Amino acid sequence: MTDIGAPGNGPSRRDFLKATGAGGLAATAGCTAPSASDQRTRTTRQEAMQSDDSLPTTSPPEIVNVDEQGGQVTMKTQPARHDVHPGESMGGPIAFPQVWAFQADDRDPSVPGPILRTTEGEDMEVTLDNTEGQRAHTIHFHGASKTWENDGVPTTTGITVDAGEEHTYEIPANVPGTHVYHCHFQTQRHIDMGMYGIFRVDPKDYEEADKEHFLTFKDWDSRLPRQMAGEDVNYNPRERQPDVFTVNGKSAPRTLHPEQGSPIIVKEGETVRLHLVNGGYMSHPMHIHNHRFQLVEKDGGTIPEAARHDEDITNIAPAERHTIEFTADADPGIYLMHCHKVNHVMNGRSYPGGMLGGIVYESVMDTDIFAQLMEYAGYEA
């Protein structure tokens, strides 16, 4: 697992620093100083976002190779604070005072949850450890043909993992592709509190692309995590009003942060494969600037080559998974990847922000404009 860029096989931190000129990032052009009224607004927003200091802060999602763990993984649930965009640039700060995060084994809690990766033909034993939990949960896996009692739906299986209990699900990796998992107890609330993640089954003899990354998109109504943290706000799931839009749990410009965000860092000529997952409740037409890609998988099904065509936007419905491929053959630069519902690319009334990431060519990471973006994102080398 790389510590730079979106989860996948990106560059190491050493490679990143070498490409950026080893530390010149922090000294570049600054943002315009906020006005007094802007500063008052941000201070009020920060005060409103204060949460229980005892809660941990989420980390970015990690890839868990379940095969390397003997086919076993333990998933805990952890109340946590989630920083969507902690800086003051571009409409920040944005934070959720409480989410319900998944935590794999002894790793950090994350939103989205950890990426559980296995191989076709293997079996997974996923233990939901709720012994220290505060409420009931389950885990439901899309994209696996499993026995009835392992479906993770309490209403139809009779199996609920209550607080103080644990339960092991047996999940066969018999449908290769990129899938999703989520809590299926009071689903309308638990997904919106952060209980979702990617389940990846590599086909036998799978060959990774030069660059391969996982990206999860999500729309949020920030009133729910605020209400769950004890704030006096009115939230009704039937009157949901999304106001925060994320890529791997972050809103732009934090999405471009090389360690906390999910930039896609490429070299000229590389083949790039992106596994795109919609963890939210709205459809998101995802567009990549200056690159034509092909949809090669959908919900674990391979698209026949005769049915593929070049495109620059793919509309992903809730819980859908699209795998796209393209060649990094554009003029080397920095190119946006964003939802084309343009109000989803905002932080409040500030544009740009929200559900926006980027394709970054390594050869331009020593430029002033890249350094300025890193400053917006809150990154210091």
Side-chain angles (χ1 to χ4, degrees):
M1 158 92 187
T2 177
D3 59 354
I4 293 294
N9 59 359
S12 68
R13 192 174 196 276
R14 177 178 294 181
D15 292 337
F16 179 84
L17 291 176
K18 182 178 179 180
T20 57
L25 292 176
T28 353
C31 308
T32 303
S35 67
S37 61
D38 287 341
Q39 189 62 54
R40 283 193 298 271
T41 300
R42 289 169 178 166
T43 300
T44 301
R45 189 183 295 135
Q46 286 172 318
E47 290 172 348
M49 291 177 178
Q50 295 303 309
S51 64
D52 185 348
D53 290 339
S54 68
L55 293 181
T57 299
T58 57
S59 294
E62 295 185 44
I63 297 174
V64 178
N65 190 317
V66 183
D67 295 350
E68 294 178 354
Q69 301 187 173
Q72 298 179 332
V73 61
T74 297
M75 297 281 278
K76 298 180 181 179
T77 63
Q78 173 67 62
R81 175 185 171 87
H82 184 63
D83 290 332
V84 178
H85 168 38
E88 294 188 351
S89 61
M90 298 185 183
I94 304 168
F96 297 153
Q98 187 176 141
V99 292
W100 302 337
F102 278 118
Q103 178 178 1
D105 302 313
D106 59 353
R107 297 171 176 85
D108 292 336
S110 66
V111 172
I115 299 159
L116 302 183
R117 193 168 195 173
T118 184
T119 306
E120 180 184 8
E122 300 295 330
D123 293 330
M124 292 197 313
E125 288 188 357
V126 182
T127 298
L128 176 54
D129 181 355
N130 203 21
T131 54
E132 298 180 3
Q134 301 176 357
R135 52 187 57 83
H137 297 296
T138 68
I139 307 181
H140 168 63
F141 286 85
H142 291 222
S145 181
K146 49 199 173 293
T147 61
W148 174 22
E149 63 269 23
N150 285 293
D151 195 39
V153 183
T155 311
T156 54
T157 66
I159 298 173
T160 301
V161 188
D162 289 318
E165 298 180 350
E166 68 176 30
H167 177 78
T168 298
Y169 298 94
E170 295 181 0
I171 307 297
N174 50 17
V175 180
T178 299
H179 309 295
V180 66
Y181 66 86
H182 59 83
C183 180
H184 220 297
F185 182 85
Q186 292 295 301
T187 317
Q188 84 287 358
R189 179 178 293 116
H190 289 219
I191 289 180
D192 250 4
M193 284 296 290
M195 301 192 72
Y196 64 95
I198 291 177
F199 167 43
R200 170 68 188 178
V201 179
D202 289 332
K204 293 179 181 177
D205 303 319
Y206 182 65
E207 293 184 8
E208 289 191 359
D210 296 325
K211 291 291 168 63
E212 184 161 345
H213 298 282
F214 295 89
L215 300 166
T216 305
F217 309 110
K218 179 78 167 69
D219 46 90
W220 307 79
D221 186 325
S222 64
R223 292 176 299 173
L224 177 60
R226 290 164 53 207
Q227 184 184 69
M228 292 296 104
E231 289 188 30
D232 184 17
V233 294
N234 182 30
Y235 173 78
N236 182 338
R238 298 301 296 272
E239 299 175 353
R240 189 173 179 270
Q241 299 174 3
D243 59 342
V244 176
F245 302 89
T246 61
V247 181
N248 281 354
K250 305 296 182 182
S251 291
R254 195 65 167 182
T255 53
L256 298 172
H257 192 289
E259 293 172 319
Q260 296 294 317
S262 301
I264 307 301
I265 300 171
V266 301
K267 295 179 181 178
E268 292 96 314
E270 287 187 320
T271 299
V272 183
R273 185 178 301 150
L274 303 181
H275 303 283
L276 311 178
V277 175
N278 186 346
Y281 298 175
M282 307 174 74
S283 293
H284 298 293
M286 298 307 301
H287 169 52
I288 297 179
H289 285 209
N290 216 36
H291 294 81
R292 303 281 285 173
F293 57 78
Q294 292 189 347
L295 179 65
V296 298
E297 290 181 13
K298 180 184 178 301
D299 301 340
T302 300
I303 307 297
E305 289 193 19
R308 301 177 189 178
H309 58 89
D310 291 345
E311 52 189 319
D312 60 26
I313 196 161
T314 185
N315 191 33
I316 312 175
E320 266 194 336
R321 293 85 69 195
H322 290 191
T323 294
I324 64 172
E325 288 186 6
F326 63 91
T327 301
D329 57 2
D331 181 43
I334 304 167
Y335 297 101
L336 298 184
M337 175 183 64
H338 63 89
C339 180
H340 223 287
K341 293 179 179 177
V342 183
N343 60 327
H344 295 183
V345 190
M346 300 179 70
N347 295 329
R349 296 185 178 182
S350 177
Y351 176 91
M355 195 175 286
L356 177 150
I359 310 295
V360 179
Y361 282 73
E362 286 191 20
S363 58
V364 304
M365 291 198 303
D366 61 350
T367 62
D368 287 348
I369 186 63
F370 181 74
Q372 186 177 62
L373 288 173
M374 292 299 95
E375 186 175 3
Y376 291 150
Y379 179 74
E380 295 184 5

